[in-house]
C-alpha cells in the first residue's frame, strides 16, 4: 500500500505571494465561475512540471510530462523527463507503464484509494467545492485565487494533511496543485500549455 500511495501522491501544487482573505461575495462569485468552466470542460491536455519536496533533500526532485483528462473521470499522467513512466486512472483501475513494464491495480474495493482518485479528478477539473470531507479556506494574491483544503477524514489525514489549489484569475482554471503530507513534505505540480475540449480518444487511456 505505501508504494501505491506514493504513486498517487505523484499525481496530486505553489509559489508564495502575499495572500488576502476573500470576502463572502468574492467566494460566491469565484465558485460560480469555476463551476461554470468545469461544466463546459470535457477534455484537458496540459504539460506539467512536478516538484517533490522532502525535508532531508537539499533540492526538490523535478519531473516533467503531460497530463490528459477526459470527462467524467479518465486521467493519464505521462512522465517524460527524466524517465518514461505513465499512470492511468480508469474506472476502478490504476494502470501503470514503467518503461514498457505494464501492471494494473484494482483500487475499487479500497475506500482510501477511491478518495484519492476523486481528489485527483476533481482537482484537475476544478469541481471540488461540494467535497464535505474538507474544510476550505479562500484567499487571493496578485497572481491567483487560492483554495486550501484541510481534510476532516482521519484515515485520509494519515496521508494528506492539506492540499492547495491555485486558480488563474482570468480563466478560473487550476494552474497549480500542492499536496502536503503530515510530515510537511509536499508534491507540487505546475500546469502549463493547457488546452481544453480538444478530441482525446479513449484509446489513449489504455495501458
Amino acid at each position: 500500500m505505501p508504494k501505491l500511495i506514493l504513486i498517487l501522491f505523484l499525481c496530486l501544487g505553489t509559489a508564495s505571494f502575499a495572500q488576502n482573505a476573500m470576502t463572502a461575495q468574492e467566494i460566491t462569485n469565484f465558485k460560480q465561475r469555476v463551476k461554470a468552466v468545469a461544466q463546459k470542460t470535457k477534455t484537458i491536455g496540459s504539460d506539467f512540471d512536478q516538484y517533490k519536496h522532502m525535508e532531508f533533500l537539499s533540492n526538490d526532485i523535478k519531473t516533467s510530462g503531460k497530463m490528459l483528462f477526459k470527462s467524467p473521470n479518465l486521467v493519464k499522467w505521462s512522465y517524460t523527463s527524466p524517465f518514461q513512466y505513465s499512470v492511468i486512472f480508469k474506472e476502478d483501475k490504476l494502470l501503470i507503464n514503467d518503461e514498457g513494464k505494464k501492471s494494473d491495480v484494482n483500487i475499487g474495493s479500497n475506500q482510501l484509494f477511491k478518495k484519492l482518485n476523486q481528489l485527483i479528478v476533481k482537482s484537475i477539473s476544478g469541481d471540488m467545492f461540494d467535497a464535505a470531507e474538507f474544510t476550505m479556506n479562500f484567499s487571493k494574491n496578485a497572481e491567483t485565487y487560492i483554495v486550501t483544503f484541510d481534510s476532516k477524514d482521519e484515515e485520509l489525514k494519515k496521508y494528506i494533511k492539506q492540499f492547495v489549489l491555485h486558480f488563474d484569475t482570468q480563466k478560473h482554471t487550476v494552474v497549480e496543485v500542492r499536496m502536503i503530507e503530515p510530515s510537511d513534505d509536499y508534491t507540487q505540480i505546475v500546469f502549463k500549455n493547457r488546452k481544453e475540449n480538444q478530441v482525446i480518444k479513449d484509446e489513449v487511456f489504455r495501458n
Side-chain angles (χ1 to χ4, degrees), residues 43-57:
T43 67
I44 301 171
S46 178
D47 298 327
F48 68 86
D49 291 323
Q50 177 178 293
Y51 304 89
K52 177 64 178 179
H53 175 84
M54 291 182 280
E55 188 63 31
F56 62 88
L57 294 178

Side-chain angles (χ1 to χ4, degrees), residues 31-80:
K31 285 183 177 181
Q32 290 174 346
R33 290 168 182 163
V34 171
K35 286 188 175 183
V37 171
Q39 289 172 354
K40 295 177 182 177
T41 303
K42 303 306 179 185
T43 67
I44 301 171
S46 178
D47 298 327
F48 68 86
D49 291 323
Q50 177 178 293
Y51 304 89
K52 177 64 178 179
H53 175 84
M54 291 182 280
E55 188 63 31
F56 62 88
L57 294 178
S58 56
N59 296 306
D60 293 348
I61 301 171
K62 180 183 177 181
T63 52
S64 300
K66 188 175 185 66
M67 183 279 299
L68 296 174
F69 165 79
K70 186 172 185 177
S71 179
N73 57 7
L74 293 174
V75 183
K76 181 176 183 178
W77 299 84
S78 298
Y79 294 85
T80 56

